[in-house]
Amino acid sequence: MTTCLSALQQWVDDVASHTQPDTIYWCTGSDAEYQQLIDEMQISGTLSALNQDQYPNCYLHLSHPSDVARVEHLTFICTEKEKDAGPNNHWMSPAEGHAKVDALFKNVMRGRTLYVIPYCMGPIDSPYSRCGVEITDSPYVVINMKLMTRMGSAALARIEREGSFVKGLHSTGDLDPDRRFIMHFPEELSIKSIGSGYGGNALLGKKCHALRIASYQAREEGWLAEHMLILGLESPDGDTHYIACAFPSACGKTNLAMLIPPKSQLGWKIWTLGDDIAWLHLDDDGRLRAINPECGYFGVVPGTNSQTNKNAFDMITRDAIFTNVGLTANNEPWWEGKKVGKPVTDWQGRDYDPDVGPAAHPNSRFTVAATNNPSYSSLAEAAEGVPISAIVFGGRRKKLAPLVYEARDWQHGVLVGAGVASETTAANIGEVGVVRRDPMAMKPFCGYNFADYWAHWLSFAERTDKLPRIFHVNWFRQDSDGRFLWPGFGENLRVLRWIIDRCEQRVGAKETPIGYLPEPGDIDIEGLDISADAMRALTRIDTQQWQVEIESIGEYFDSFGDRLPAALRQEQQRIAKELASL
Ligand code: GTP
Ligand code: SPV
Ligand code: MN
């Protein structure tokens, strides 16, 4: 056995002696293994088959009612120095972090199977990909990792070749929120997660590895690990531009990544490369290239229907795992916004009663392999990734943020990203609908101090003059009656077209202190039922409101002290001054 594999074996042995599982199982990633686990979970009652005529190979899992979302308040970055984690993270010293969870891991796997899951984030032969091994006592985690990552024997072979991997230890524990912790040790490239079986808390390849640990590694090594979808936008002429968009959790990445153009946008086509995470590297020519480290989707179910997201609606009718949705009398999954059928039971398995709550939990999710998506781009498997033309930040803002605007240059673009704010969503346990700063949509996911992270972003301008342009979008502006001003979903293609027109220098723009806005008429609204007033509201800025916003960004920056890059302070002050002189 090679040194690396014996190090892996040693770690598995150590974990086993501490957690005392009944059995140890090394996952191969085969389809037969997947089916075997599905069968076992149906016997144990943790999974139930859905209507196999309408939803072949689809299953339902119901979480513990306290375990339905990420838990930012229980998520820690354990670096030697507190300042390295930054005010954007909860911090614990590595010694305390280990001690706290090691006590909870003691004998926790008694009566359970310990699964060893070798996985590769990114195409198995890409130099940009990174491997990890997750140890878990949850078969639900294994089957989700099978759909979401390149998992099993091929990953193990790469680990043996490379000699390194990120270590992730996970147990569902007793699901008691008082004994739930998601600990990251970036300096050791390891993760320990206990007490949750849910999504980002438990599928360690995803947010824990591919964002928190990877962002830390990316800074050291000169690349970026981001909470971004990647899409290809093909024009009627057959040119394809690749765009990477960072929107906070439950703010529209999956929907945009697999958008189907409306009938009015004849000849346009969207290709999906990724819907949640992008790893970005400069290539030898100085272009920024992206790979998607995942190969499946863990998507928000509510709101998915044949009009909003037909690709997702169709792809989850087979080979999908549903978590925390309701059921129809016909044993089909049901969720708010499905538009067809009606629920008889809710996400807790109780008789559905609209007075008690929704049938599907607002953060209910589907898990499905990317190959189920009719718009999946074959380039998502390309070792070299795709060149990025535009980076788009966004948030969920009822007020203030226009439909779209463009940063003046890279430095301003980093300010635009750092200033992102968005209303909180059900993707985290906590209050929903409160506006908070979510820089680059990375507030819950950056494995180090945001001040250092922004400095790292800024440094790319010193390395190349071929960086993508940076934009900001907001699909979520509302009128005074709480109705969305912009139709969203497929119609967002119209905004992407303006973005590409800007990249290709085919269209002018209105210069404002916050950036370049579209001139009236430059966004195609033909065939849309949208008033001229609404379009005006979407494409102008309110000077006073923006003065308050820019001041608030300045106060937010203050919390980073003198670690804040001077260039960001300068940008913020420049905008404040320009707004004041309007
Ligand atoms: P995470 O998986 O949590 O990172 O979320 P995400 O960013 O992929 O968000 P997703 O695409 O799943 O959308 C979240 C919710 O926003 C869903 O209920 C969607 O129906 C809704 N949504 C997405 N795009 C739009 C849009 O353009 N307009 C409006 N009004 N709602 C949208
Ligand atoms: C998010 O919250 O951004 C998600 C879902 O994509 S989870 O995998 O739970 O992080
Ligand atoms: Mn996400």
Side-chain angles (χ1 to χ4, degrees), residues 207 227 247-256 275-276 298-300 302-304 308 365 396 427 475-476 484 487-489 492:
K207 298 306 178 29
H227 190 203
F247 310 153
S249 301
C251 291
K253 290 183 300 301
T254 301
N255 278 266
L256 192 69
D275 81 323
D276 199 48
F298 185 64
V300 174
T304 306
T308 54
R365 297 268 167 170
R396 192 182 271 271
W475 313 140
F476 299 95
F484 289 116
F489 300 104
N492 294 334

PDB file of all heavy atoms in Angstrom, residues 207 227 247-256 275-276 298-300 302-304 308 365 396 427 475-476 484 487-489 492, ligand 1:
ATOM      1  N   LYS A 207     -20.350  22.509   0.611  1.00  0.00           N
ATOM      2  CA  LYS A 207     -19.979  23.805   1.163  1.00  0.00           C
ATOM      3  C   LYS A 207     -18.717  23.711   2.034  1.00  0.00           C
ATOM      4  O   LYS A 207     -17.867  24.602   2.016  1.00  0.00           O
ATOM      5  CB  LYS A 207     -21.156  24.416   1.950  1.00  0.00           C
ATOM      6  CG  LYS A 207     -22.383  24.687   1.071  1.00  0.00           C
ATOM      7  CD  LYS A 207     -22.023  25.532  -0.103  1.00  0.00           C
ATOM      8  CE  LYS A 207     -23.074  25.870  -1.122  1.00  0.00           C
ATOM      9  NZ  LYS A 207     -24.451  25.977  -0.872  1.00  0.00           N
ATOM     10  N   HIS A 227     -19.152  30.720  -4.651  1.00  0.00           N
ATOM     11  CA  HIS A 227     -20.542  30.245  -4.604  1.00  0.00           C
ATOM     12  C   HIS A 227     -21.249  30.732  -5.864  1.00  0.00           C
ATOM     13  O   HIS A 227     -22.074  31.646  -5.815  1.00  0.00           O
ATOM     14  CB  HIS A 227     -21.198  30.818  -3.330  1.00  0.00           C
ATOM     15  CG  HIS A 227     -22.542  30.246  -3.002  1.00  0.00           C
ATOM     16  ND1 HIS A 227     -23.460  30.921  -2.223  1.00  0.00           N
ATOM     17  CD2 HIS A 227     -23.121  29.068  -3.304  1.00  0.00           C
ATOM     18  CE1 HIS A 227     -24.544  30.174  -2.068  1.00  0.00           C
ATOM     19  NE2 HIS A 227     -24.367  29.048  -2.716  1.00  0.00           N
ATOM     20  N   PHE A 247     -24.996  34.355  -6.470  1.00  0.00           N
ATOM     21  CA  PHE A 247     -26.183  34.847  -5.753  1.00  0.00           C
ATOM     22  C   PHE A 247     -26.256  34.063  -4.441  1.00  0.00           C
ATOM     23  O   PHE A 247     -25.957  32.861  -4.428  1.00  0.00           O
ATOM     24  CB  PHE A 247     -27.487  34.594  -6.514  1.00  0.00           C
ATOM     25  CG  PHE A 247     -27.511  35.022  -7.959  1.00  0.00           C
ATOM     26  CD1 PHE A 247     -28.359  34.381  -8.851  1.00  0.00           C
ATOM     27  CD2 PHE A 247     -26.716  36.064  -8.430  1.00  0.00           C
ATOM     28  CE1 PHE A 247     -28.407  34.752 -10.188  1.00  0.00           C
ATOM     29  CE2 PHE A 247     -26.757  36.450  -9.767  1.00  0.00           C
ATOM     30  CZ  PHE A 247     -27.612  35.777 -10.651  1.00  0.00           C
ATOM     31  N   PRO A 248     -26.702  34.710  -3.348  1.00  0.00           N
ATOM     32  CA  PRO A 248     -26.799  33.982  -2.076  1.00  0.00           C
ATOM     33  C   PRO A 248     -27.736  32.771  -2.170  1.00  0.00           C
ATOM     34  O   PRO A 248     -28.459  32.610  -3.155  1.00  0.00           O
ATOM     35  CB  PRO A 248     -27.357  35.050  -1.124  1.00  0.00           C
ATOM     36  CG  PRO A 248     -26.920  36.350  -1.729  1.00  0.00           C
ATOM     37  CD  PRO A 248     -27.004  36.138  -3.206  1.00  0.00           C
ATOM     38  N   SER A 249     -27.719  31.971  -1.123  1.00  0.00           N
ATOM     39  CA  SER A 249     -28.528  30.757  -1.087  1.00  0.00           C
ATOM     40  C   SER A 249     -29.997  31.078  -1.334  1.00  0.00           C
ATOM     41  O   SER A 249     -30.525  32.050  -0.797  1.00  0.00           O
ATOM     42  CB  SER A 249     -28.379  30.089   0.283  1.00  0.00           C
ATOM     43  OG  SER A 249     -27.022  29.792   0.498  1.00  0.00           O
ATOM     44  N   ALA A 250     -30.618  30.241  -2.153  1.00  0.00           N
ATOM     45  CA  ALA A 250     -32.041  30.384  -2.497  1.00  0.00           C
ATOM     46  C   ALA A 250     -32.349  31.729  -3.150  1.00  0.00           C
ATOM     47  O   ALA A 250     -33.396  32.322  -2.912  1.00  0.00           O
ATOM     48  CB  ALA A 250     -32.933  30.133  -1.280  1.00  0.00           C
ATOM     49  N   CYS A 251     -31.416  32.218  -3.971  1.00  0.00           N
ATOM     50  CA  CYS A 251     -31.627  33.476  -4.698  1.00  0.00           C
ATOM     51  C   CYS A 251     -31.534  33.302  -6.210  1.00  0.00           C
ATOM     52  O   CYS A 251     -31.295  34.269  -6.936  1.00  0.00           O
ATOM     53  CB  CYS A 251     -30.660  34.549  -4.213  1.00  0.00           C
ATOM     54  SG  CYS A 251     -31.029  35.071  -2.532  1.00  0.00           S
ATOM     55  N   GLY A 252     -31.684  32.073  -6.698  1.00  0.00           N
ATOM     56  CA  GLY A 252     -31.902  31.916  -8.131  1.00  0.00           C
ATOM     57  C   GLY A 252     -30.769  31.337  -8.961  1.00  0.00           C
ATOM     58  O   GLY A 252     -30.847  31.396 -10.190  1.00  0.00           O
ATOM     59  N   LYS A 253     -29.733  30.725  -8.353  1.00  0.00           N
ATOM     60  CA  LYS A 253     -28.639  30.177  -9.165  1.00  0.00           C
ATOM     61  C   LYS A 253     -29.106  28.979  -9.995  1.00  0.00           C
ATOM     62  O   LYS A 253     -28.873  28.931 -11.205  1.00  0.00           O
ATOM     63  CB  LYS A 253     -27.444  29.760  -8.289  1.00  0.00           C
ATOM     64  CG  LYS A 253     -26.692  30.937  -7.685  1.00  0.00           C
ATOM     65  CD  LYS A 253     -25.477  30.496  -6.880  1.00  0.00           C
ATOM     66  CE  LYS A 253     -25.841  29.591  -5.732  1.00  0.00           C
ATOM     67  NZ  LYS A 253     -26.771  30.147  -4.746  1.00  0.00           N
ATOM     68  N   THR A 254     -29.750  28.002  -9.347  1.00  0.00           N
ATOM     69  CA  THR A 254     -30.155  26.796 -10.080  1.00  0.00           C
ATOM     70  C   THR A 254     -31.094  27.176 -11.222  1.00  0.00           C
ATOM     71  O   THR A 254     -30.965  26.674 -12.345  1.00  0.00           O
ATOM     72  CB  THR A 254     -30.829  25.793  -9.122  1.00  0.00           C
ATOM     73  OG1 THR A 254     -29.891  25.462  -8.098  1.00  0.00           O
ATOM     74  CG2 THR A 254     -31.247  24.528  -9.846  1.00  0.00           C
ATOM     75  N   ASN A 255     -32.027  28.087 -10.922  1.00  0.00           N
ATOM     76  CA  ASN A 255     -32.986  28.489 -11.957  1.00  0.00           C
ATOM     77  C   ASN A 255     -32.296  29.141 -13.147  1.00  0.00           C
ATOM     78  O   ASN A 255     -32.595  28.836 -14.295  1.00  0.00           O
ATOM     79  CB  ASN A 255     -34.029  29.439 -11.360  1.00  0.00           C
ATOM     80  CG  ASN A 255     -35.131  28.673 -10.653  1.00  0.00           C
ATOM     81  OD1 ASN A 255     -36.165  28.388 -11.248  1.00  0.00           O
ATOM     82  ND2 ASN A 255     -34.900  28.291  -9.425  1.00  0.00           N
ATOM     83  N   LEU A 256     -31.345  30.041 -12.886  1.00  0.00           N
ATOM     84  CA  LEU A 256     -30.681  30.737 -13.992  1.00  0.00           C
ATOM     85  C   LEU A 256     -29.784  29.778 -14.775  1.00  0.00           C
ATOM     86  O   LEU A 256     -29.689  29.858 -15.994  1.00  0.00           O
ATOM     87  CB  LEU A 256     -29.858  31.914 -13.457  1.00  0.00           C
ATOM     88  CG  LEU A 256     -29.366  32.874 -14.532  1.00  0.00           C
ATOM     89  CD1 LEU A 256     -30.537  33.649 -15.146  1.00  0.00           C
ATOM     90  CD2 LEU A 256     -28.336  33.855 -13.971  1.00  0.00           C
ATOM     91  N   ASP A 275     -24.439  24.782 -10.943  1.00  0.00           N
ATOM     92  CA  ASP A 275     -25.546  25.575 -10.382  1.00  0.00           C
ATOM     93  C   ASP A 275     -25.252  26.119  -8.987  1.00  0.00           C
ATOM     94  O   ASP A 275     -26.102  26.785  -8.401  1.00  0.00           O
ATOM     95  CB  ASP A 275     -26.832  24.748 -10.325  1.00  0.00           C
ATOM     96  CG  ASP A 275     -26.873  23.832  -9.108  1.00  0.00           C
ATOM     97  OD1 ASP A 275     -25.812  23.287  -8.716  1.00  0.00           O
ATOM     98  OD2 ASP A 275     -27.961  23.688  -8.521  1.00  0.00           O
ATOM     99  N   ASP A 276     -24.019  25.867  -8.451  1.00  0.00           N
ATOM    100  CA  ASP A 276     -23.810  26.304  -7.057  1.00  0.00           C
ATOM    101  C   ASP A 276     -22.369  26.730  -6.751  1.00  0.00           C
ATOM    102  O   ASP A 276     -22.174  27.644  -5.970  1.00  0.00           O
ATOM    103  CB  ASP A 276     -24.212  25.166  -6.107  1.00  0.00           C
ATOM    104  CG  ASP A 276     -24.471  25.655  -4.682  1.00  0.00           C
ATOM    105  OD1 ASP A 276     -25.199  26.648  -4.511  1.00  0.00           O
ATOM    106  OD2 ASP A 276     -23.940  25.040  -3.732  1.00  0.00           O
ATOM    107  N   PHE A 298     -28.267  19.908  -5.742  1.00  0.00           N
ATOM    108  CA  PHE A 298     -29.029  19.810  -4.503  1.00  0.00           C
ATOM    109  C   PHE A 298     -29.884  21.080  -4.491  1.00  0.00           C
ATOM    110  O   PHE A 298     -29.481  22.102  -3.944  1.00  0.00           O
ATOM    111  CB  PHE A 298     -28.061  19.737  -3.315  1.00  0.00           C
ATOM    112  CG  PHE A 298     -28.727  19.512  -1.974  1.00  0.00           C
ATOM    113  CD1 PHE A 298     -29.418  18.337  -1.709  1.00  0.00           C
ATOM    114  CD2 PHE A 298     -28.654  20.463  -0.972  1.00  0.00           C
ATOM    115  CE1 PHE A 298     -30.021  18.128  -0.472  1.00  0.00           C
ATOM    116  CE2 PHE A 298     -29.250  20.253   0.273  1.00  0.00           C
ATOM    117  CZ  PHE A 298     -29.943  19.082   0.520  1.00  0.00           C
ATOM    118  N   GLY A 299     -31.039  21.006  -5.170  1.00  0.00           N
ATOM    119  CA  GLY A 299     -31.759  22.236  -5.502  1.00  0.00           C
ATOM    120  C   GLY A 299     -32.999  22.465  -4.655  1.00  0.00           C
ATOM    121  O   GLY A 299     -33.615  21.520  -4.151  1.00  0.00           O
ATOM    122  N   VAL A 300     -33.365  23.734  -4.530  1.00  0.00           N
ATOM    123  CA  VAL A 300     -34.594  24.129  -3.826  1.00  0.00           C
ATOM    124  C   VAL A 300     -35.797  23.604  -4.615  1.00  0.00           C
ATOM    125  O   VAL A 300     -35.914  23.868  -5.809  1.00  0.00           O
ATOM    126  CB  VAL A 300     -34.683  25.672  -3.747  1.00  0.00           C
ATOM    127  CG1 VAL A 300     -36.012  26.124  -3.157  1.00  0.00           C
ATOM    128  CG2 VAL A 300     -33.511  26.245  -2.954  1.00  0.00           C
ATOM    129  N   PRO A 302     -39.420  24.065  -3.732  1.00  0.00           N
ATOM    130  CA  PRO A 302     -40.590  24.936  -3.880  1.00  0.00           C
ATOM    131  C   PRO A 302     -40.405  25.972  -4.993  1.00  0.00           C
ATOM    132  O   PRO A 302     -39.317  26.513  -5.185  1.00  0.00           O
ATOM    133  CB  PRO A 302     -40.727  25.619  -2.507  1.00  0.00           C
ATOM    134  CG  PRO A 302     -40.119  24.638  -1.556  1.00  0.00           C
ATOM    135  CD  PRO A 302     -38.964  24.038  -2.315  1.00  0.00           C
ATOM    136  N   GLY A 303     -41.474  26.194  -5.720  1.00  0.00           N
ATOM    137  CA  GLY A 303     -41.422  27.165  -6.808  1.00  0.00           C
ATOM    138  C   GLY A 303     -41.061  26.535  -8.140  1.00  0.00           C
ATOM    139  O   GLY A 303     -41.170  27.181  -9.182  1.00  0.00           O
ATOM    140  N   THR A 304     -40.629  25.271  -8.144  1.00  0.00           N
ATOM    141  CA  THR A 304     -40.237  24.625  -9.403  1.00  0.00           C
ATOM    142  C   THR A 304     -41.484  24.126 -10.129  1.00  0.00           C
ATOM    143  O   THR A 304     -42.228  23.298  -9.602  1.00  0.00           O
ATOM    144  CB  THR A 304     -39.301  23.425  -9.119  1.00  0.00           C
ATOM    145  OG1 THR A 304     -38.202  23.871  -8.318  1.00  0.00           O
ATOM    146  CG2 THR A 304     -38.779  22.817 -10.403  1.00  0.00           C
ATOM    147  N   THR A 308     -41.647  27.982 -14.523  1.00  0.00           N
ATOM    148  CA  THR A 308     -40.478  28.648 -13.942  1.00  0.00           C
ATOM    149  C   THR A 308     -39.183  27.951 -14.345  1.00  0.00           C
ATOM    150  O   THR A 308     -38.200  28.620 -14.687  1.00  0.00           O
ATOM    151  CB  THR A 308     -40.566  28.656 -12.400  1.00  0.00           C
ATOM    152  OG1 THR A 308     -40.758  27.318 -11.931  1.00  0.00           O
ATOM    153  CG2 THR A 308     -41.672  29.569 -11.912  1.00  0.00           C
ATOM    154  N   ARG A 365     -35.523  20.021  -0.730  1.00  0.00           N
ATOM    155  CA  ARG A 365     -34.517  19.945  -1.799  1.00  0.00           C
ATOM    156  C   ARG A 365     -34.692  18.696  -2.653  1.00  0.00           C
ATOM    157  O   ARG A 365     -35.209  17.685  -2.200  1.00  0.00           O
ATOM    158  CB  ARG A 365     -33.110  19.893  -1.164  1.00  0.00           C
ATOM    159  CG  ARG A 365     -32.738  21.137  -0.364  1.00  0.00           C
ATOM    160  CD  ARG A 365     -32.023  22.160  -1.214  1.00  0.00           C
ATOM    161  NE  ARG A 365     -31.926  23.462  -0.572  1.00  0.00           N
ATOM    162  CZ  ARG A 365     -31.184  24.459  -1.042  1.00  0.00           C
ATOM    163  NH1 ARG A 365     -30.468  24.297  -2.141  1.00  0.00           N
ATOM    164  NH2 ARG A 365     -31.162  25.623  -0.431  1.00  0.00           N
ATOM    165  N   ARG A 396     -31.179  39.377  -3.286  1.00  0.00           N
ATOM    166  CA  ARG A 396     -32.637  39.460  -3.224  1.00  0.00           C
ATOM    167  C   ARG A 396     -32.957  40.761  -2.518  1.00  0.00           C
ATOM    168  O   ARG A 396     -32.830  40.853  -1.303  1.00  0.00           O
ATOM    169  CB  ARG A 396     -33.100  38.237  -2.421  1.00  0.00           C
ATOM    170  CG  ARG A 396     -34.564  37.928  -2.434  1.00  0.00           C
ATOM    171  CD  ARG A 396     -34.818  36.717  -1.545  1.00  0.00           C
ATOM    172  NE  ARG A 396     -34.711  35.458  -2.248  1.00  0.00           N
ATOM    173  CZ  ARG A 396     -35.704  34.851  -2.884  1.00  0.00           C
ATOM    174  NH1 ARG A 396     -36.903  35.385  -2.868  1.00  0.00           N
ATOM    175  NH2 ARG A 396     -35.518  33.701  -3.493  1.00  0.00           N
ATOM    176  N   ALA A 427     -32.633  28.737   3.517  1.00  0.00           N
ATOM    177  CA  ALA A 427     -31.488  27.841   3.357  1.00  0.00           C
ATOM    178  C   ALA A 427     -30.641  27.757   4.624  1.00  0.00           C
ATOM    179  O   ALA A 427     -29.805  26.879   4.766  1.00  0.00           O
ATOM    180  CB  ALA A 427     -30.629  28.287   2.181  1.00  0.00           C
ATOM    181  N   TRP A 475     -33.249  40.258  -9.408  1.00  0.00           N
ATOM    182  CA  TRP A 475     -34.520  39.806 -10.018  1.00  0.00           C
ATOM    183  C   TRP A 475     -35.712  40.080  -9.086  1.00  0.00           C
ATOM    184  O   TRP A 475     -36.822  39.758  -9.423  1.00  0.00           O
ATOM    185  CB  TRP A 475     -34.503  38.301 -10.282  1.00  0.00           C
ATOM    186  CG  TRP A 475     -33.321  37.668 -10.935  1.00  0.00           C
ATOM    187  CD1 TRP A 475     -32.780  36.456 -10.596  1.00  0.00           C
ATOM    188  CD2 TRP A 475     -32.572  38.110 -12.070  1.00  0.00           C
ATOM    189  NE1 TRP A 475     -31.736  36.129 -11.418  1.00  0.00           N
ATOM    190  CE2 TRP A 475     -31.576  37.137 -12.338  1.00  0.00           C
ATOM    191  CE3 TRP A 475     -32.630  39.249 -12.892  1.00  0.00           C
ATOM    192  CZ2 TRP A 475     -30.656  37.261 -13.381  1.00  0.00           C
ATOM    193  CZ3 TRP A 475     -31.708  39.364 -13.924  1.00  0.00           C
ATOM    194  CH2 TRP A 475     -30.743  38.387 -14.166  1.00  0.00           C
ATOM    195  N   PHE A 476     -35.438  40.615  -7.901  1.00  0.00           N
ATOM    196  CA  PHE A 476     -36.442  40.536  -6.827  1.00  0.00           C
ATOM    197  C   PHE A 476     -37.018  41.887  -6.384  1.00  0.00           C
ATOM    198  O   PHE A 476     -37.567  41.996  -5.297  1.00  0.00           O
ATOM    199  CB  PHE A 476     -35.840  39.793  -5.622  1.00  0.00           C
ATOM    200  CG  PHE A 476     -35.427  38.372  -5.942  1.00  0.00           C
ATOM    201  CD1 PHE A 476     -34.118  38.065  -6.302  1.00  0.00           C
ATOM    202  CD2 PHE A 476     -36.357  37.343  -5.916  1.00  0.00           C
ATOM    203  CE1 PHE A 476     -33.737  36.766  -6.610  1.00  0.00           C
ATOM    204  CE2 PHE A 476     -35.995  36.042  -6.227  1.00  0.00           C
ATOM    205  CZ  PHE A 476     -34.677  35.743  -6.571  1.00  0.00           C
ATOM    206  N   PHE A 484     -43.552  41.378  -7.645  1.00  0.00           N
ATOM    207  CA  PHE A 484     -42.260  41.507  -8.325  1.00  0.00           C
ATOM    208  C   PHE A 484     -42.406  42.410  -9.547  1.00  0.00           C
ATOM    209  O   PHE A 484     -43.335  42.244 -10.342  1.00  0.00           O
ATOM    210  CB  PHE A 484     -41.737  40.133  -8.752  1.00  0.00           C
ATOM    211  CG  PHE A 484     -41.291  39.281  -7.597  1.00  0.00           C
ATOM    212  CD1 PHE A 484     -41.945  38.085  -7.280  1.00  0.00           C
ATOM    213  CD2 PHE A 484     -40.214  39.666  -6.807  1.00  0.00           C
ATOM    214  CE1 PHE A 484     -41.528  37.313  -6.210  1.00  0.00           C
ATOM    215  CE2 PHE A 484     -39.799  38.901  -5.741  1.00  0.00           C
ATOM    216  CZ  PHE A 484     -40.455  37.717  -5.432  1.00  0.00           C
ATOM    217  N   PRO A 487     -40.426  40.037 -14.355  1.00  0.00           N
ATOM    218  CA  PRO A 487     -41.028  38.693 -14.402  1.00  0.00           C
ATOM    219  C   PRO A 487     -40.058  37.559 -14.026  1.00  0.00           C
ATOM    220  O   PRO A 487     -40.492  36.488 -13.598  1.00  0.00           O
ATOM    221  CB  PRO A 487     -41.497  38.569 -15.851  1.00  0.00           C
ATOM    222  CG  PRO A 487     -40.748  39.611 -16.622  1.00  0.00           C
ATOM    223  CD  PRO A 487     -40.460  40.711 -15.670  1.00  0.00           C
ATOM    224  N   GLY A 488     -38.765  37.795 -14.182  1.00  0.00           N
ATOM    225  CA  GLY A 488     -37.786  36.810 -13.723  1.00  0.00           C
ATOM    226  C   GLY A 488     -37.735  35.537 -14.556  1.00  0.00           C
ATOM    227  O   GLY A 488     -38.176  35.494 -15.705  1.00  0.00           O
ATOM    228  N   PHE A 489     -37.122  34.497 -13.968  1.00  0.00           N
ATOM    229  CA  PHE A 489     -37.015  33.156 -14.562  1.00  0.00           C
ATOM    230  C   PHE A 489     -36.529  33.246 -16.024  1.00  0.00           C
ATOM    231  O   PHE A 489     -35.525  33.900 -16.271  1.00  0.00           O
ATOM    232  CB  PHE A 489     -38.343  32.390 -14.403  1.00  0.00           C
ATOM    233  CG  PHE A 489     -38.713  32.235 -12.942  1.00  0.00           C
ATOM    234  CD1 PHE A 489     -39.706  33.022 -12.359  1.00  0.00           C
ATOM    235  CD2 PHE A 489     -38.032  31.342 -12.126  1.00  0.00           C
ATOM    236  CE1 PHE A 489     -40.024  32.901 -11.007  1.00  0.00           C
ATOM    237  CE2 PHE A 489     -38.337  31.212 -10.772  1.00  0.00           C
ATOM    238  CZ  PHE A 489     -39.329  31.988 -10.230  1.00  0.00           C
ATOM    239  N   ASN A 492     -35.098  36.374 -17.590  1.00  0.00           N
ATOM    240  CA  ASN A 492     -33.780  36.884 -17.187  1.00  0.00           C
ATOM    241  C   ASN A 492     -32.768  36.805 -18.334  1.00  0.00           C
ATOM    242  O   ASN A 492     -31.734  37.482 -18.312  1.00  0.00           O
ATOM    243  CB  ASN A 492     -33.262  36.121 -15.960  1.00  0.00           C
ATOM    244  CG  ASN A 492     -34.121  36.393 -14.721  1.00  0.00           C
ATOM    245  OD1 ASN A 492     -34.757  37.445 -14.630  1.00  0.00           O
ATOM    246  ND2 ASN A 492     -34.151  35.462 -13.789  1.00  0.00           N
TER     247      ASN A 492
HETATM  248  P1  GTP B   1     -29.134  27.462  -3.225  1.00  0.00           P
HETATM  249  O1  GTP B   1     -29.267  26.074  -3.760  1.00  0.00           O
HETATM  250  O2  GTP B   1     -29.679  27.605  -1.845  1.00  0.00           O
HETATM  251  O3  GTP B   1     -27.752  28.002  -3.335  1.00  0.00           O
HETATM  252  O4  GTP B   1     -30.176  28.387  -4.067  1.00  0.00           O
HETATM  253  P2  GTP B   1     -30.149  28.960  -5.567  1.00  0.00           P
HETATM  254  O5  GTP B   1     -29.401  30.243  -5.601  1.00  0.00           O
HETATM  255  O6  GTP B   1     -29.769  27.916  -6.540  1.00  0.00           O
HETATM  256  O7  GTP B   1     -31.712  29.370  -5.787  1.00  0.00           O
HETATM  257  P3  GTP B   1     -32.836  28.697  -6.706  1.00  0.00           P
HETATM  258  O8  GTP B   1     -32.556  28.825  -8.165  1.00  0.00           O
HETATM  259  O9  GTP B   1     -33.107  27.328  -6.216  1.00  0.00           O
HETATM  260  O10 GTP B   1     -34.067  29.648  -6.369  1.00  0.00           O
HETATM  261  C1  GTP B   1     -34.540  29.837  -5.063  1.00  0.00           C
HETATM  262  C2  GTP B   1     -35.963  30.329  -5.087  1.00  0.00           C
HETATM  263  O11 GTP B   1     -36.049  31.558  -5.797  1.00  0.00           O
HETATM  264  C3  GTP B   1     -36.924  29.356  -5.755  1.00  0.00           C
HETATM  265  O12 GTP B   1     -38.122  29.265  -5.008  1.00  0.00           O
HETATM  266  C4  GTP B   1     -37.168  29.983  -7.097  1.00  0.00           C
HETATM  267  O13 GTP B   1     -38.435  29.644  -7.613  1.00  0.00           O
HETATM  268  C5  GTP B   1     -37.026  31.482  -6.820  1.00  0.00           C
HETATM  269  N1  GTP B   1     -36.503  32.209  -8.009  1.00  0.00           N
HETATM  270  C6  GTP B   1     -35.462  31.842  -8.794  1.00  0.00           C
HETATM  271  N2  GTP B   1     -35.279  32.706  -9.818  1.00  0.00           N
HETATM  272  C7  GTP B   1     -36.223  33.676  -9.671  1.00  0.00           C
HETATM  273  C8  GTP B   1     -36.563  34.844 -10.419  1.00  0.00           C
HETATM  274  O14 GTP B   1     -35.951  35.191 -11.425  1.00  0.00           O
HETATM  275  N3  GTP B   1     -37.603  35.605  -9.938  1.00  0.00           N
HETATM  276  C9  GTP B   1     -38.304  35.252  -8.831  1.00  0.00           C
HETATM  277  N4  GTP B   1     -39.306  36.026  -8.436  1.00  0.00           N
HETATM  278  N5  GTP B   1     -38.027  34.131  -8.105  1.00  0.00           N
HETATM  279  C10 GTP B   1     -37.003  33.351  -8.524  1.00  0.00           C
END
